Every structure is written in C-alpha cells, then in structure tokens.
Amino acid sequence: MFLAKAILEGANQGLGEALGGLLGGGGQQRGGRGAGTGGNIGGIIGGIVNLISEATAAQYTPEPPPTRQHFTNVEASESEEVRWFRHQFAQLAGPDMEVGATDLMHILNKVLAKHKDLKTDGFSLDTCRSIVSVMDSDTTGKLGFEEFKYLWNNIKKWQCVYKQYHRDGSGYLGSAQLRGALQAAGFQLNEQLYQMIIRRYADEEGRMDFNNFISCLVRLDAMFRAFKSLDRDADGLIQVSIREWLQLTMYS
Amino acid sequence: MFLAKAILEGANQGLGEALGGLLGGGGQQRGGRGAGTGGNIGGIIGGIVNLISEATAAQYTPEPPPTRQHFTNVEASESEEVRWFRHQFAQLAGPDMEVGATDLMHILNKVLAKHKDLKTDGFSLDTCRSIVSVMDSDTTGKLGFEEFKYLWNNIKKWQCVYKQYHRDGSGYLGSAQLRGALQAAGFQLNEQLYQMIIRRYADEEGRMDFNNFISCLVRLDAMFRAFKSLDRDADGLIQVSIREWLQLTMYS
C-alpha cells in the first residue's frame, strides 16, 4: 500500500518517489505560536514549549522495514529458524507466494486457538484486510515473504508483551496495564494518545483483548514508520496533498 | 475523535483549535518541481501539470457536518421524519443517549436482514468501531444524536446508490460498476485511487459487497472532510505533526 510503500522506500525516497516525485524537496518550517514575534519572550517560550510538547507526544523506533526480496531469494547464510519460517510461509501462501487477508485470518486464528490464556474473539476478516493493507509495501494487495516475516516477528514480540502485562489472569489488558505494555513494545505516547487508543481499541470496561492489541500495534507501528519516511528533513512535520492523504489513510 | 473533531470545528478552527492551537496560522506553499527555477519553462509547465493533477486527483463536496446539539434540543420546526428518527434513536441509544459500536452493529445488521438483495456478510464489530471513531466529533467514544443522524442519512443515500449500480443481480458491485457508484455518491477519484479502493475493499474477484461499500464511503467522506477542515488556506496541502498524524490515523 502507499503507506507501506512510503515506509519501504525509506528516508531517502519516501512517498515522494513512490508517488512520482510530487512531493517538493525539503521540509517547510512551520512557525510556532511565538516564533516569529521578535521581542515577545512569552510567545517565544510558549512556542518552544509547544515544540517540545509536540516532539515528545509520540516516540517509537521501529525495526528496519521489510526488504523487497522475492521469496525465492534464499540467502546461503540463512538461519535454521528463517528456513523453517520460509517453509511455513510456502505452505500458507497461494501459488503466487503471497498471503492475502483470508489466509492471514486463518493462520492467526489457528495459532490463537493454541493460546487459551489470550482473551480474544478472534481476528475478523476486516481486521486482517486492514493489517494486509498497512503492510503491503509493493501494493500487490497481499503480503510477500519479507512483508509477512516482518509482521510475524512483530506479532511474536507483542504477544510476549501482552502475556507479560495481563497479570490479573483475565486474559485482557486493563487500561492501567496498557501503558506499560505499549511502552514495553517501544511506544512512548502522551496521555491524550493513550486515551484515544483506549477509546478506539478497548471495550466499554476499558479492557483490551489480544486481537485488538495486535491490530492497534500493527497500525501504530505502520503510522509511525509512514510519518518518519515522509518527514525527510526530520523536522517533525509532514506536508501532504489530498491525493497523498487519501492514499495513506484509505489504504489501511 | 480528533479527525471528526477537526471536521466539526470547521474551516475557521480546524484541528488546530481542537489540539490547542498548535498548528501555525496560514498554509505553507510547497514549491512544485519547477516552480522555483526561473527560466526553466519545461520545469514550470511540469509543475503546473503536477498541481492540476494533484488538484483533480480527488474531489468531493460533503454534506454540512453534524452540529453539536444535544439530543434533548428539539427544534419546534422539526419535521415529522426527524421526530420519528429521534424516537428511533432514543430506543437504540443507551441511558447516555449515545450509540456505541455494538449498538450500531446491531441496528445495521437488523436493517440489512430486511434487504435480501444486498450482498453482505454483515457489519462486524471491528468495522462498527471504525465507523464510530471517524464519526465521533466530540470524542465521547460513541455517537450522539446529530452524529448518528449524519451517518444514517449518508448510509440511506449510499444504499440507494448501491441498489442502483449492482445491476447484474449478484448483489455485489463489480469493479466496473464501482466507479459509477462512487461518482454517483459524489466522489471523483483518479484511477490510482480507484485501484487502491478495489484492493482494500473488494474481494479477490474484484467484487464489493454492501458492508464494505458503506465502510469505504464512510471513511472516504470522513477523510475528505478532515483534509478540508485542516486545509484552512485551501491550497490543497496540509501540514501535520506526529501527534496530529497519529490522532487522525489511529482514531479511525
């Protein structure tokens, strides 16, 4: 997808390359509230506070993005684990060697069935379509081996975090545990963003089950990576047109 | 939600107001490819072509956004239809006079059961959570009367479009019919965006069922409105920080 494509292209290219170079070069500095008002010390301080507030509102360092190597590109030095994973992928994927949303749903729910301690009502097809979209760097509509491996490694990591944090035995993550879990997964978010995540992904009692936790983190990871990829001058701001905006938000 | 809040605040306020005025005033003009290179006629023409291409890639004029009036604020001049709808809403909503994702799922599927000609596997809870999020202007986590009415009116309108365009009797919209259906719903999109929508919302045979059609249009409508609300100088570009980006993309 375009969002994942932006991520894949990396910092030197970003969505601009993927969209035919329509993004102008360099970033545009946006003035803070007081930044342009000369002698207004209060305004300047306010501006600095705002900038710090913006910069610290959300932080995350993702894994390196999936490469574009084809499934058949087997490295001689590949570990036993990767070779086993490649074999599993080959069984799961169709003749096109890609995993679609329905395949993903089946494999996730099959694995979940073995983990009775994880509270879940299963991964729906809608959720899996969304996951495939955010991970689909090459816009084939499905996940190739590298894209799938990237996703699976993240899910394994986050599953460990979930198991570590749902200490009360309910199988859910409570809102109090969620902060710790997100931090353990590498996400530093301000209070407003935490509350928003709880509103979107937790139930009416503020509890988050496993499939919602994974959906949330897959999306968070992808959105952070997309932003970083587009923020080529690393000034904490990105500028997008309506077309880019729709590509980023609709194919997810 | 923040995205819907941005829409609700309207052009004069936008997300900046909702997020405590962190957006700087006015837009930043982003140079097109050739715009700054003086005598380079080819570059200038290229830049103009790009601008036109960007401006025409996606167009839509939404309905006026939902107001913030409370459910109990009944207008004396209210039509019989709106009064009936208010009564229906009161039966559906909980004691808080708000409709949550589960309530929405129940009512949508109940209505769908009466329309056997609409091909659907039903609205999932995940989809309904997403719909509530994009419509949740006041970030309560649920839909108040005005928000729900806005959504319901759109769904009624789009249901008519769907019925008009799935002419082959299959109950699905084929990819060839989708363009016409989206245009009839008011969305003008370029080919790349159509293909992306098909990849995300249609099945492997390129067919879109009713619940995916509605999910797609609810989201498209919301994303267009969010962009327009943020694009205060109407230059076709918006600039967002990581915090704003996450609020817009995660609470949807």
Side-chain angles (χ1 to χ4, degrees):
Chain A
M1 76 130 293
F2 295 97
L3 183 147
K5 206 172 180 181
I7 297 162
L8 190 69
E9 298 287 342
N12 287 336
Q13 297 184 6
L15 189 57
E17 186 72 18
L19 296 174
L22 283 163
L23 276 172
Q28 301 296 326
Q29 287 299 331
R30 192 169 63 174
R33 261 191 184 150
T37 56
N40 184 344
I41 302 292
I44 292 168
I45 292 172
I48 293 168
V49 167
N50 284 343
L51 282 170
I52 293 169
S53 173
E54 285 290 323
T56 56
Q59 294 172 328
Y60 172 63
T61 304
E63 298 292 332
T67 66
R68 278 195 161 169
Q69 292 190 91
H70 191 261
F71 172 71
T72 51
N73 188 352
V74 179
E75 289 182 26
S77 58
E78 223 164 55
S79 70
E80 188 61 42
E81 187 189 356
V82 173
R83 258 202 297 268
W84 174 87
F85 188 82
R86 198 182 280 282
H87 174 71
Q88 299 301 312
F89 178 83
Q91 294 192 307
L92 174 67
D96 55 2
M97 282 298 133
E98 297 242 322
V99 168
T102 308
D103 299 321
L104 181 64
M105 179 179 72
H106 289 149
I107 190 65
L108 284 173
N109 289 332
K110 193 170 163 184
V111 167
L112 266 190
K114 300 177 184 174
H115 293 267
K116 303 292 181 197
D117 57 327
L118 298 174
K119 190 70 184 173
T120 176
D121 48 7
F123 285 86
S124 68
L125 184 58
D126 287 334
T127 296
C128 293
R129 285 185 149 205
S130 179
I131 291 174
V132 166
S133 299
V134 292
M135 292 298 312
D136 180 27
S137 322
D138 54 6
T139 64
T140 58
K142 292 184 175 187
L143 304 184
F145 176 65
E146 296 293 338
E147 292 164 342
F148 185 76
K149 182 153 68 80
Y150 183 95
L151 171 66
W152 203 256
N153 285 338
N154 268 344
I155 291 177
K156 278 197 310 185
K157 188 170 67 178
W158 296 331
Q159 180 193 23
C160 291
V161 169
Y162 189 92
K163 289 195 176 200
Q164 183 188 348
Y165 279 83
H166 76 97
R167 280 183 289 254
D168 64 2
S170 66
Y172 289 103
L173 275 183
S175 53
Q177 297 152 340
L178 178 63
R179 270 174 199 74
L182 284 170
Q183 283 172 14
F187 297 98
Q188 301 291 336
L189 306 174
N190 69 7
E191 184 60 26
Q192 198 181 34
L193 287 169
Y194 277 123
Q195 290 304 324
M196 175 198 73
I197 279 172
I198 288 166
R199 255 195 321 272
R200 171 64 180 85
Y201 290 96
D203 64 16
E204 296 200 13
E205 293 160 61
R207 302 174 310 181
M208 191 179 294
D209 62 16
F210 183 70
N211 49 290
N212 276 290
F213 181 69
I214 295 299
S215 296
C216 175
L217 264 60
V218 169
R219 196 175 181 82
L220 254 183
D221 170 83
M223 296 302 157
F224 262 102
R225 290 190 287 125
F227 188 91
K228 284 184 175 180
S229 179
L230 292 167
D231 185 16
R232 285 187 274 178
D233 59 0
D235 68 346
L237 296 169
I238 62 171
Q239 199 170 43
V240 292
S241 68
I242 180 66
R243 186 175 60 86
E244 292 159 347
W245 170 248
L246 290 178
Q247 282 167 332
L248 289 163
T249 57
M250 290 301 299
Y251 197 55
S252 65
Chain B
M1 73 133 292
F2 296 97
L3 183 147
K5 206 172 180 181
I7 298 164
L8 191 69
E9 298 286 344
N12 288 336
Q13 297 186 5
L15 189 58
E17 188 72 18
L19 297 175
L22 283 164
L23 275 174
Q28 300 296 326
Q29 287 298 328
R30 193 167 64 172
R33 259 190 183 152
T37 54
N40 184 344
I41 302 292
I44 292 168
I45 292 171
I48 293 168
V49 167
N50 284 344
L51 282 170
I52 294 169
S53 173
E54 285 290 323
T56 56
Q59 295 172 327
Y60 171 64
T61 304
E63 298 292 332
T67 67
R68 276 194 163 172
Q69 292 190 88
H70 191 261
F71 171 71
T72 51
N73 188 353
V74 180
E75 290 182 26
S77 60
E78 223 163 56
S79 70
E80 189 61 42
E81 187 189 356
V82 174
R83 259 201 297 266
W84 174 86
F85 188 81
R86 198 182 280 282
H87 174 71
Q88 298 302 312
F89 179 82
Q91 293 193 309
L92 175 66
D96 55 2
M97 281 298 133
E98 298 243 321
V99 168
T102 308
D103 300 320
L104 181 65
M105 179 180 71
H106 289 150
I107 190 65
L108 284 172
N109 288 332
K110 193 171 165 184
V111 167
L112 265 189
K114 300 178 185 172
H115 293 267
K116 303 292 180 196
D117 57 326
L118 299 174
K119 190 70 184 171
T120 176
D121 48 6
F123 284 86
S124 69
L125 183 58
D126 286 335
T127 295
C128 292
R129 285 184 150 206
S130 179
I131 290 173
V132 166
S133 299
V134 293
M135 292 299 311
D136 181 26
S137 322
D138 54 8
T139 65
T140 59
K142 293 184 175 187
L143 304 184
F145 177 66
E146 296 293 339
E147 292 164 342
F148 183 77
K149 182 153 68 79
Y150 184 95
L151 170 67
W152 203 256
N153 285 339
N154 269 345
I155 290 177
K156 279 196 312 183
K157 189 170 67 176
W158 296 332
Q159 181 192 25
C160 292
V161 170
Y162 189 93
K163 288 195 176 200
Q164 184 189 346
Y165 279 83
H166 76 98
R167 281 183 288 254
D168 65 2
S170 66
Y172 290 102
L173 274 184
S175 53
Q177 297 152 339
L178 179 63
R179 269 175 199 74
L182 284 170
Q183 282 171 14
F187 297 98
Q188 301 291 336
L189 306 175
N190 69 7
E191 184 61 25
Q192 198 180 34
L193 288 168
Y194 276 124
Q195 290 304 323
M196 176 198 72
I197 279 171
I198 288 166
R199 257 198 316 276
R200 172 63 180 84
Y201 290 97
D203 64 16
E204 296 201 13
E205 293 161 62
R207 302 173 311 180
M208 191 179 293
D209 62 16
F210 182 69
N211 49 289
N212 276 289
F213 181 69
I214 295 300
S215 297
C216 175
L217 264 60
V218 169
R219 195 176 183 82
L220 254 183
D221 170 83
M223 296 301 157
F224 262 102
R225 291 190 288 125
F227 187 91
K228 284 185 174 177
S229 180
L230 292 167
D231 185 15
R232 286 188 273 176
D233 58 1
D235 68 345
L237 297 169
I238 62 171
Q239 199 169 43
V240 292
S241 68
I242 179 66
R243 187 174 60 86
E244 293 159 346
W245 170 249
L246 290 177
Q247 282 168 332
L248 290 163
T249 58
M250 290 301 298
Y251 197 56
S252 64

